[in-house]
Amino acid sequence: LLVLVLVAGTLPAIVRQLYPPLPLRSPREATPRCVVVLGGGLVGRGRQRRSSRMGLRRLARALQEARQRQLPLLISGGGRPLTEGQASEARLLADASEGYGLTIWLEERSRNTRENARNSAALLQRKGIDQVLLVTDRAHMTRAMLSFQRAGIEVIAAPVERLPSPAWMPSAGALLLLPEIWYEWLALLWYEIRG
């Protein structure tokens, strides 16, 4: 039985079924007026900190969407802990975005998904924007969408899919996503308890 569970955990088609379901969208037709990308963490220490591969994957998708749709890009992420002279996660991602000719806004104070949503919503609402295209990993998308909806922002999902293909070919990449998916289920439960 354990062998069957492990084999199932290596199949992208099975792992995909474990994602938290995306929340329902508003029935009105949404037209995003901005692309929002959530940072994917920092690696390194002190002044040697840099964007994670996850953050750079998200950024690549967000840049593609912003250029294609001709929309401004909001990069959200402070990182933790920020000390004097250290660049925020959003700033490091923005530095990697130079040369794309986009309007880029930064939200540099958030330390988690809930703060990403609240701080980004405050910035967006000052600019009269209440509908966005949200870029983050598919496993993280449900929690991110719910957080933005609670902050008053209507979201169209543009998830970064990390499951390999073909769907029925065993893959270590699929197995490696399982802890992240379980973490998201627990985080959703925690957010529900905390309101």
Side-chain angles (χ1 to χ4, degrees):
L1 182 64
L2 180 60
V3 171
L4 286 175
V5 170
L6 282 174
V7 169
T10 68
L11 299 174
I14 300 294
V15 173
R16 182 171 284 111
Q17 302 308 309
L18 301 175
Y19 283 141
L22 294 178
L24 295 175
R25 284 187 28 214
S26 164
R28 75 179 176 126
E29 186 62 34
T31 305
R33 297 192 38 227
C34 180
V35 175
V36 176
V37 61
L38 305 184
L42 297 171
V43 294
R45 307 182 95 168
R47 294 189 184 277
Q48 302 301 315
R49 294 190 330 164
R50 63 189 187 284
S51 300
S52 68
R53 285 190 307 201
M54 181 185 299
L56 292 171
R57 270 194 305 268
R58 292 176 184 180
L59 178 65
R61 172 71 188 270
L63 289 168
Q64 174 190 5
E65 293 286 354
R67 287 181 73 188
Q68 182 179 349
R69 296 168 183 264
Q70 298 181 350
L71 293 173
L73 175 63
L74 169 59
I75 304 173
S76 179
R80 55 180 130 166
L82 274 180
T83 58
E84 191 65 35
Q86 288 184 327
S88 69
E89 189 174 1
R91 171 61 56 200
L92 291 170
L93 288 171
D95 290 348
S97 307
E98 288 183 6
Y100 281 85
L102 296 171
T103 299
I104 296 179
W105 303 320
L106 302 182
E107 181 287 299
E108 301 181 84
R109 296 178 299 131
S110 59
R111 296 165 296 168
N112 56 47
T113 303
R114 182 173 278 166
E115 290 181 9
N116 284 137
R118 286 181 184 158
N119 298 343
S120 295
L123 189 152
L124 291 165
Q125 287 162 351
R126 284 194 303 271
K127 296 179 180 297
I129 296 173
D130 65 354
Q131 297 178 339
V132 301
L133 187 80
L134 182 63
V135 178
T136 189
D137 285 82
R138 172 56 186 93
H140 182 234
M141 184 60 77
T142 301
R143 184 162 51 111
M145 284 182 76
L146 289 170
S147 296
F148 272 80
Q149 288 173 349
R150 285 187 179 143
I153 301 293
E154 192 169 333
V155 173
I156 299 169
V160 174
E161 180 60 73
R162 291 176 20 226
L163 279 172
S165 53
W168 292 103
M169 178 72 69
S171 163
L175 189 61
L176 290 173
L177 268 178
L178 287 177
E180 190 176 322
I181 292 170
W182 294 128
Y183 175 86
E184 287 301 324
W185 278 105
L186 290 172
L188 284 167
L189 177 62
W190 178 246
Y191 275 31
E192 189 62 33
I193 291 168
R194 291 192 61 195

